[in-house]
Amino acid sequence: MNDTKKMGRPRTFDEQEALLAAMNAFWAKGYDGTSMKDLTSAMGISGPSLYSAFGDKRELYLKTIDRYADVDGCAPIVEYESADTIEEAIRRFLTVVVTHSTQQEGAPRGCFLASCVAMTVGEVDGVAERMEKAIRDTDARLAKRFDEEKAKGNLSENFPSEARARLLHDMRQGLVHRSRAGWSAEPLLEDLDDRVRMVLMD
């Protein structure tokens, strides 16, 4: 007598691609405006498959936030941390912010966290904590690079690392806001030199 356990069907879709599609659906219509039909259509999967892999609508939404913060949202930070000089780091950070906000194919303009997720703080459980963590983590990584430059003698000992990290982060959000309003990359990059000098002003 066979005592084999019944095996479920293997998933026939890429979970990361499905999350990206769900994120774009939420991004385009907002959390409340996105129906389960919108999600299954965008993700190319059935309702039961969605529930099995991602949970309910809220759980799926939180997973899209985590994916964005871990992958897409980090691209400017990666450029910032890998540049040879602090001037180039700031320049590359802001440039990637602009290009990602204005030239992404298949996604709305701007930033998912600022354009969509921030609107659901206090309305969807779990969002506020993720937004707060994303902001804190970004500020900390920006400030860390400034502190490293201070240790090397490239910035003065009195350089306000944390305050300038917040300023750079706020510049990022301002650029995202303008891109969301329809600005192209060219005008957003016109005053890049001034922005770099402003951040590094002692």
Side-chain angles (χ1 to χ4, degrees):
M1 178 178 177
N2 285 334
D3 192 21
T4 56
K5 293 184 179 180
K6 189 175 182 180
M7 300 292 291
R9 290 183 182 178
R11 289 174 184 165
T12 58
F13 62 91
D14 185 301
E15 289 192 22
Q16 293 305 310
E17 289 300 319
L19 273 178
L20 178 61
M23 182 190 76
N24 287 334
F26 283 126
W27 198 340
K29 293 189 174 183
Y31 179 77
D32 289 334
T34 305
S35 66
M36 292 301 291
K37 183 177 180 180
D38 292 329
L39 292 168
T40 54
S41 176
M43 298 165 77
I45 61 178
S46 67
S49 293
L50 187 157
Y51 283 109
S52 174
F54 305 107
D56 61 16
K57 178 180 173 180
R58 172 184 163 274
E59 291 174 311
L60 173 60
Y61 184 55
L62 296 180
K63 286 181 171 66
T64 65
I65 297 172
D66 293 338
R67 184 192 187 282
Y68 184 84
D70 289 343
V71 181
D72 299 289
C74 284
I77 297 288
V78 170
E79 289 294 321
Y80 174 81
E81 292 174 336
S82 62
D84 291 334
T85 68
I86 190 60
E87 291 85 357
E88 184 62 20
I90 296 168
R91 179 180 298 277
R92 284 165 61 174
F93 174 84
L94 294 174
T95 299
V96 173
V97 168
V98 170
T99 55
H100 272 232
S101 297
T102 59
Q103 299 174 16
Q104 291 189 90
E105 295 294 333
R109 288 186 170 198
C111 166
F112 181 51
L113 297 181
S115 303
C116 176
V117 178
M119 303 301 106
T120 57
V121 171
E123 296 182 5
V124 180
D125 289 343
V127 170
E129 296 87 343
R130 282 169 170 77
M131 280 294 294
E132 183 179 352
K133 183 178 186 301
I135 292 169
R136 284 200 317 266
D137 288 351
T138 298
D139 287 347
R141 289 177 70 175
L142 294 173
K144 182 175 182 288
R145 177 66 193 263
F146 289 135
D147 285 339
E148 291 171 350
E149 297 296 330
K150 288 166 67 174
K152 295 175 184 177
N154 296 329
L155 293 173
S156 72
E157 293 181 1
N158 297 323
F159 185 84
S161 298
E162 293 182 4
R164 295 305 165 79
R166 291 192 294 270
L167 174 62
L168 185 55
H169 192 168
D170 291 347
M171 283 183 179
R172 170 187 180 174
Q173 295 311 112
L175 291 169
V176 167
H177 181 69
R178 290 177 187 274
S179 71
R180 182 71 173 175
W183 290 43
S184 64
E186 185 176 352
L188 294 178
L189 294 173
E190 282 180 353
D191 61 350
L192 201 56
D193 290 339
D194 290 337
R195 290 176 181 271
V196 173
R197 284 193 292 268
M198 189 182 303
V199 173
L200 294 177
M201 189 181 301
D202 205 343

